[in-house]
Amino acid sequence: MTRDPSPVPPLPPVAPRLLDWFDAHRRDLPWRADRDPYRIWVSEVMLQQTTVAAVVPYFHRFVAAFPTVAALAAADEQRVLKLWEGLGYYRRARHLHAAAKRLVAGHGGALPDDPAAWLALPGVGRYIQGAVLSQAFDRRLPIVEANSLRVLARLFGYRGDPREGAGKAWVWAAAEAVLPAERAGDFNQALMELGALVCTPAKPACDRCPLAAACVANRDALQEQIPPPKKQPVVTEVSEVGVVVRRGGKVLLCRRPADAGRWQNMWEVPHAERLAGEPLAESAVRVARALTGLAVTPGAEVATIRHSVTRFRITLAVVGATAPRGAFAPGAYAEAKWVTPDELADYPVSAPQRKLMTHLASGGA
Ligand code: SF4
């Protein structure tokens, strides 16, 4: 059961000082050039769990390929995924694409100034709703993300964990309480910008912060304690085997099914977890047969790729193999293609698979 948030204590008005600071220090970012709700929406979806520096080139490429919501709605999903490749969290791209189709079907391609319509779209929660509508239409809607959460917790001296349970409800109430009646979109961006540039996780620059005089954490020297550190998940080591199956000069590339747990509809060489103590060659034969139906003859290990997915630290040992005959059997994968090493760059793949494919395309065995 969700408890009521703790009441947000009154503060001296902070909006005028923060907005003045933002006007003087805001970064010149490509989605800030105008108030186009489509560009703001794309940028906000990309920015979730990703840095501004990483997003900028992706944003330019994406809006050049799909300059309007109608263009995005009409796009092939593989192209959308390809343009997202490397940003991670691919479900966000698939939701963005699905939402664009709904906006074209239900709103004639317009992005409505209507909070309820936004919340009904795939992938849109309270954050995206508030970010787009406050920035594009100046709706007085709050936002909370990692940067503003840290600023608000310190500003009010909130001692609980604002990422969880009652703390989450508290931080949304605080974000709403500080919002001014006008320039809500600029204020939301200013909070995030202050968190990114001044109120940083370690060693915040309180001496040049426009909110220093009102800030409880600054007054009580609690910057290092607020917010409390994130709970670190226990890391689990996983060993996987991947198989580069060759026939002639081509490699077998498989598409994950639409209902896969992650990387839906993206491409890869077949891979799966190794059994404890299983020799690598046996593992490769077993995995290739189970995932593709092909009987392969294993060769040497061609690469070792280390990567992390959530709390799992994965070591992927990749074995070269041949399968001169036999047909691919769909099941574990939706489909497969035999492609030349040069063609590997054309398919949307996950970051670890891209590492492997770059290695193969550069002549790696
Ligand atoms: S005074 Fe310091 S802790 Fe408080 S909001 Fe500003 S930078 Fe953050």
Side-chain angles (χ1 to χ4, degrees):
M1 203 173 85
T2 310
R3 283 182 287 149
D4 286 341
S6 317
V8 177
L11 273 184
V14 293
R17 270 175 284 168
L18 185 56
L19 285 166
D20 284 351
W21 174 86
F22 185 59
D23 290 341
H25 297 278
R26 60 191 285 164
R27 284 173 291 179
D28 188 17
L29 302 175
W31 46 88
R32 286 181 176 161
D34 55 37
R35 290 183 153 214
D36 178 345
Y38 172 67
R39 289 167 65 90
I40 292 168
W41 178 33
V42 169
S43 72
E44 290 293 348
V45 175
M46 287 185 168
L47 284 163
Q48 289 182 300
Q49 291 161 309
T50 314
T51 63
V52 165
V55 162
V56 168
Y58 281 91
F59 177 82
H60 282 303
R61 283 194 294 268
F62 198 89
V63 296
F66 313 124
T68 62
V69 71
L72 176 57
D76 182 73
E77 186 191 272
Q78 290 287 301
R79 186 143 184 256
V80 175
L81 290 173
K82 183 68 198 160
L83 282 161
W84 206 271
E85 187 187 301
L87 262 184
Y89 303 96
Y90 298 95
R91 186 171 280 120
R92 295 179 302 169
R94 295 169 70 244
H95 278 151
L96 186 69
H97 190 212
K101 288 181 182 177
R102 289 235 202 128
L103 286 168
V104 167
H107 296 267
L111 280 80
D113 178 11
D114 174 358
W118 275 89
L119 272 191
L121 294 172
V124 175
R126 200 172 171 192
Y127 173 78
I128 291 290
Q129 179 208 40
V132 175
L133 291 180
S134 68
Q135 291 176 50
F137 304 113
D138 226 4
R139 282 257 182 187
R140 193 179 173 277
L141 290 171
I143 52 101
V144 172
E145 46 65 78
N147 285 315
S148 55
L149 173 147
R150 186 171 56 256
V151 174
L152 289 167
R154 287 173 173 168
L155 182 62
F156 286 96
Y158 184 74
R159 299 304 302 266
D161 188 341
R163 305 173 196 93
E164 292 187 356
K168 245 187 199 174
W170 177 87
V171 77
W172 277 100
E176 191 158 9
V178 293
L179 260 185
E182 289 174 358
R183 296 190 68 191
D186 283 348
F187 183 84
N188 282 336
Q189 290 185 80
L191 266 187
M192 294 190 279
E193 197 85 327
L194 190 76
L197 302 180
V198 176
C199 193
T200 46
K203 299 191 173 46
C206 302
D207 55 337
R208 53 186 178 85
C209 175
L211 308 185
C215 177
V216 174
N218 183 43
R219 182 195 68 197
D220 298 344
L222 289 171
Q223 294 94 329
E224 300 299 322
Q225 283 82 50
I226 299 178
K230 271 192 198 167
K231 294 187 184 85
Q232 294 301 327
V234 178
V235 171
T236 304
E237 299 282 347
V238 176
S239 277
E240 286 196 346
V241 61
V243 194
V244 177
V245 186
R246 293 181 185 278
R247 179 174 290 177
K250 296 187 172 179
V251 170
L252 185 73
L253 201 57
C254 303
R255 181 167 63 81
R256 295 170 68 87
D259 60 358
R262 65 173 61 87
W263 300 320
Q264 299 96 334
N265 286 336
M266 297 176 78
W267 296 77
E268 61 188 25
V269 305
H271 66 100
E273 196 168 341
R274 281 173 80 178
L275 304 178
E278 186 180 37
L280 193 55
E282 270 176 39
S283 191
V285 170
R286 175 182 62 78
V287 165
R289 179 172 292 282
L291 298 185
T292 70
L294 292 169
V296 304
T297 303
E301 184 173 347
V302 296
T304 304
I305 310 281
R306 291 188 180 82
H307 66 107
S308 293
V309 176
T310 61
R311 66 184 183 83
F312 299 100
R313 193 148 56 208
I314 300 166
T315 302
L316 172 67
V318 186
V319 175
T322 53
R325 62 194 69 79
F328 166 81
Y333 287 110
E335 64 173 318
K337 290 181 182 177
W338 294 98
V339 302
T340 63
D342 284 351
E343 291 167 336
L344 291 169
D346 299 339
Y347 292 82
V349 304
S350 67
Q353 290 281 322
R354 177 54 64 210
K355 262 194 209 168
L356 171 62
M357 285 172 201
T358 305
H359 176 69
L360 295 175
S362 67

